[in-house]
């Protein structure tokens, strides 16, 4: 199949700028977070109008996308990562304005640190994004989440205060200001949550302790235009201090479950310049510098059972991307992209190696468009040079490692009828082991090999508008063949993991979505039904105890129901998500079985508009309204019913 994909790439090399807007989202799941607009997509979409019923986190949005599992360790401070079609969270790229949010330390991008405030679009690509002037890393991602900022058009702002159970306080402010031909957006958000909630503990009920969080996010963006080109500059700072409550297991009486704490201070500066030189030639430059600091402390004086760790880590990275697009004809164009990134990690941990990684990614993309048919093909090369200093009997010794891979892909789109379309995708993706995977004393596994996957999928979409009614049906079967899959399994802490390769995994899945909407006389109503089937089987060693078992944390069945209605400034939404049984290990035994669960959330909001453009939104949300007791990750119970109220003024 991979050889066929390469041959098809050579025979069908085509990529055009004409019709780029339609093709940009052939296989994307998109959310319009500010403007009342849903971008056409072929896999999954969720609509978010500008009057949101409560502060939306990126993780909250992605929960309702087909084929997606969000791992949540509970509470406002719990780690939240995304897994798409059984590829794993490390195989999913998260991009902010086209630049990857990198974490070479452990490859786990914590989605709880990001909000949809200031975003114009949140999109998920299950296979291949096909827009022009992408970075090479975007072409290389096995699946990708894109967070695209909305460019402010006029002066304005908003201030919001949200209060809720678990001792949660969440104020935020955002201001837009015109500076001549440049627009400034600046915002700040603070979050505090005590994180204490009750959970069942064998034959009794306990209170979750040491799950509090304090965080502050500062964000400033500049948007400008010069000589026909658009440029942006962003400064971002995030600081937090939180507790790790640890997994719920039987322990000796009298000892706390966990006293582990983690403090983070992350900063990055990134920017871009996109220039249209002529009707046929355009280019883009993107850059980023990031500095991430982490302090992890087990506080053995509070918990004598804990291993005494007081560790400090600092990761720095620099990134530069150049891309160009050439329109060869009205139907055919070619893009080229090249990315280079250097990362370095320092720590005072005992026996710690000091790794450096220089990574280069290059992409050649081509696309052709006809009235009812489009074809896009890419060829990506990725190479990484690791240099690390390891301390031995003779002192520090330098060792080197090199890994590389070729990744072709092909995307075909056919508009069979005005209301019916079909998309087919075949591609290879490649995932390097992270610094954590390879080098960390507490969880590293130097024997890990890179993970590669061949992804194939079909996407059938049908939809029509009939007067005030709209309907849409999407059916998306797919198959992923994964070699040397890297699996990260938490141990006694969210900070320490077990890293291992599962030699071969076959994933056969199906995503289905059916939705309808009605709009008339001030009423807007919508209903969406989603179902996902994921059979992700371990086929590493025939005859072993794990042969043919479902891999960890992937449910065979999952789905959701979403209903939304608005009328005269009132908005009511209901969401129900259901997940079938899962296992926390490849051994599908009762000891590792996680039972199925279903959770329902409700949101109610009212909007009032005053003179001089002042608007007030008042809303309330009830999460887990039926107080379901469940776990997404084994040993990490989720909260029961929680309530959050919000008051927002915008102008």
């Amino acid at each position: 199949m991979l050889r066929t994909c390469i041959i098809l790439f050579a025979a069908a090399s085509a990529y055009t700028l004409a019709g780029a807007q339609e093709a940009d989202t052939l296989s994307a799941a998109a959310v319009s977070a500010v403007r009342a607009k849903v971008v056409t997509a072929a896999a999954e979409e969720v609509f978010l109008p500008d009057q949101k019923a409560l502060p939306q986190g990126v993780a909250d949005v992605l929960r309702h996308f087909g084929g997606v599992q969000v791992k949540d360790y509970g509470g406002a401070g719990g780690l939240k990562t995304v897994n798409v079609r059984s590829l794993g969270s490390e195989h999913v790229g998260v991009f902010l304005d086209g630049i990857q949010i990198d974490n070479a330390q452990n490859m786990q991008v914590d989605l709880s640190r990001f909000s949809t405030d200031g975003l114009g679009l949140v999109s998920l690509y299950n296979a291949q994004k096909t827009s022009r002037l992408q970075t090479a890393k975007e072409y290389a991602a096995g699946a990708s989440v894109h967070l695209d900022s909305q460019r402010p058009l006029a002066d304005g702002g908003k201030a919001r205060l949200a209060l809720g159970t678990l001792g949660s306080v969440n104020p935020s402010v955002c201001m837009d200001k015109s500076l001549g031909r440049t627009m400034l957006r600046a915002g700040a958000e603070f979050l505090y949550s005590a994180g204490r909630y009750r959970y069942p503990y064998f034959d009794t009920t306990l209170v979750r302790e040491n799950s509090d969080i304090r965080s502050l996010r500062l964000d400033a963006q500049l948007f400008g235009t010069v000589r026909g080109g658009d440029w942006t500059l962003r400064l971002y700072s995030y600081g937090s201090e939180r507790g790790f409550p640890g997994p719920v297991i039987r322990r000796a009486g009298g000892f706390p479950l966990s006293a582990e704490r983690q403090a983070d201070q992350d900063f990055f500066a990134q920017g871009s310049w996109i220039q249209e030189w002529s009707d046929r030639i355009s280019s883009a430059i993107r850059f980023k510098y990031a500095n991430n600091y982490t302090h992890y402390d087990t506080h053995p004086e509070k918990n004598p059972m804990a291993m005494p760790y007081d560790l400090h880590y600092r990761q720095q990275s620099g990134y530069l991307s150049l891309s160009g697009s050439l329109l060869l004809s009205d139907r055919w164009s070619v893009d080229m992209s090249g990315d280079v990134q250097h990362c370095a990690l320092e720590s005072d941990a005992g026996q710690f190696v000091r790794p450096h990684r220089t990574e280069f990614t290059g992409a050649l993309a081509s696309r052709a468009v006809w009235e009812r048919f489009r074809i896009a093909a890419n060829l990506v090369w990725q190479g990484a040079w690791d240099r690390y200093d390891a301390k031995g009997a003779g002192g520090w010794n330098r060792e080197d490692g090199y890994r590389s891979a070729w990744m072709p892909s092909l995307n075909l789109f056919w508009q069979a009828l005005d209301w019916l379309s079909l998309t087919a995708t075949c591609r290879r993706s490649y995932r390097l082991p992270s610094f954590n995977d390879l080098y960390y004393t507490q969880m590293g596994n130097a024997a890990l090999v890179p993970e590669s996957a061949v992804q194939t999928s079909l996407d059938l979409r049908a939809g029509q508008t009939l007067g005030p009614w709209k309907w849409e049906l999407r059916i998306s079967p797919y198959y992923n063949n994964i070699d040397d899959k890297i699996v990260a399994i938490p141990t006694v802490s969210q900070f320490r993991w077990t890293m291992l390769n599962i030699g071969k995994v076959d994933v056969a899945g199906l995503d289905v979505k059916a939705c309808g909407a009605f709009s008339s006389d001030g009423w807007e109503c919508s209903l969406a039904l989603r179902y996902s089937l994921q059979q992700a089987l371990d086929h590493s060693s025939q005859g072993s105890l794990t042969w043919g078992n479902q891999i960890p944390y992937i449910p065979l069945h999952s789905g959701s129901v979403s209903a939304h209605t608005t009328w005269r400034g009132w908005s009511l939404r209901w969401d129900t998500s259901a997940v079938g049984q899962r296992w926390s290990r490849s051994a599908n035994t009762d000891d590792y079985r996680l039972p199925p669960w279903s959770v329902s959330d409700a949101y109610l909001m009212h909007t009032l508009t005053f003179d001089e453009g002042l608007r007030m939104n008042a809303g309330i949300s009830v999460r887990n309204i039926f107080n379901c007791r469940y776990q997404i990750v084994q040993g990490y119970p989720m909260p029961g019913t929680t309530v959050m109220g919000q008051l927002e003024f915008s102008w």
Side-chain angles (χ1 to χ4, degrees), residues 87-88 90 431-434 437 448-451 482-488 499-502:
L87 288 176
E90 299 87 352
R431 190 279 226 206
L432 291 169
S434 70
D437 299 343
L448 280 177
V449 297
E451 168 187 322
I482 308 173
D483 290 324
D484 300 312
K485 179 176 176 59
I486 299 174
V487 178
M499 311 304 303
L500 53 92
N501 282 116
I502 298 178

Side-chain angles (χ1 to χ4, degrees), residues 285-613:
I285 300 176
R286 298 177 176 91
F287 65 89
K288 180 177 181 179
Y289 167 75
N291 190 313
N292 303 326
Y293 167 79
T294 298
H295 176 208
Y296 171 71
D297 192 350
T298 58
H299 289 281
E301 74 280 2
K302 298 179 181 179
N303 182 5
M305 296 180 65
M307 293 292 291
Y309 292 122
D310 186 7
L311 309 177
H312 302 78
Y313 300 90
R314 184 174 296 277
Q315 175 192 323
Q316 299 185 72
S317 65
Y319 170 79
L320 177 65
S321 173
L322 304 176
S323 55
S325 180
L326 173 63
L327 181 62
L328 299 176
S329 69
D330 292 341
R331 299 186 182 277
W332 182 22
S333 73
V334 175
D335 276 25
M336 293 186 67
S337 300
D339 297 1
V340 61
Q341 182 174 24
H342 181 77
C343 299
L345 184 63
E346 297 286 342
S347 174
D348 58 0
Q351 299 181 353
F352 180 75
V353 299
R354 298 180 297 195
H356 296 251
R357 171 173 292 177
T358 302
E359 180 180 336
F360 178 81
T361 308
L364 173 65
S366 187
R367 179 170 60 183
V369 173
W370 294 269
E371 183 177 358
R372 290 187 174 273
F373 184 74
R374 289 192 289 268
I375 180 171
N378 310 324
L379 182 61
V380 180
W381 178 80
Q382 186 177 48
W385 292 261
D386 284 4
R387 185 180 73 254
Y388 53 95
D389 300 326
K391 191 173 184 179
W396 288 97
N397 300 311
R398 176 161 292 180
E399 301 182 35
D400 299 297
Y402 169 72
R403 298 171 177 84
S404 67
W406 290 93
M407 293 169 278
S409 70
L410 178 67
N411 183 287
L412 304 174
F413 173 82
W414 177 39
Q415 188 75 45
L417 300 169
D418 290 341
W419 55 273
L420 180 67
S421 66
L422 179 67
T423 304
T425 301
C426 178
R427 68 191 304 265
R428 185 195 185 206
S429 58
Y430 183 76
R431 190 279 226 206
L432 291 169
S434 70
F435 287 166
N436 254 2
D437 299 343
L438 294 170
Y439 309 125
Y440 272 25
T441 304
Q442 279 75 38
M443 75 288 288
N445 180 356
L448 280 177
V449 297
E451 168 187 322
S452 66
V454 176
Q455 303 167 242
T456 55
S457 65
L458 292 175
D459 190 66
L460 179 67
R461 176 186 176 187
Q464 274 185 313
T465 299
L466 303 171
W469 295 91
K470 295 181 181 180
W471 67 271
E472 185 176 14
L473 175 66
R474 296 179 181 178
I475 302 175
S476 305
Y478 60 91
Y479 173 75
N480 296 334
N481 180 270
I482 308 173
D483 290 324
D484 300 312
K485 179 176 176 59
I486 299 174
V487 178
I489 300 175
T491 56
V492 296
S493 169
Q494 295 179 44
F495 192 80
R496 299 194 296 276
W497 302 71
T498 295
M499 311 304 303
L500 53 92
N501 282 116
I502 298 178
K504 184 177 179 58
V505 176
D506 291 305
V507 183
L510 176 68
D511 294 334
V512 179
K513 177 185 177 182
C515 61
F518 172 79
S519 177
S520 179
D521 298 328
W523 283 96
E524 293 185 6
C525 304
S526 64
L527 176 66
L529 309 175
R530 302 173 184 85
Y531 168 74
S532 292
L533 169 69
Q534 293 187 83
Q535 188 178 59
L537 303 182
D538 183 348
H539 286 158
S540 301
S541 178
Q542 190 169 4
S544 67
L545 294 177
T546 61
W547 172 267
N549 286 356
Q550 191 84 349
I551 66 174
Y553 290 109
I554 304 300
L556 183 62
H557 304 284
S558 61
S560 67
V561 178
S562 299
H564 186 208
T565 182
T566 60
W567 178 74
R568 295 185 179 180
W570 289 92
S571 178
L572 176 65
R573 183 182 180 96
W574 180 279
D575 293 320
T576 296
S577 300
V579 173
Q581 68 176 359
R582 298 157 298 140
W583 285 268
S584 63
R585 298 291 189 274
S586 292
N588 294 174
T589 63
D590 289 341
D591 291 338
Y592 303 121
R593 178 181 177 272
L594 294 172
W597 54 267
S598 175
V599 171
S600 296
D601 306 327
Y603 313 87
L604 177 64
M605 188 213 47
H606 184 54
T607 301
L608 293 174
T609 302
F610 304 97
D611 294 337
E612 300 179 356

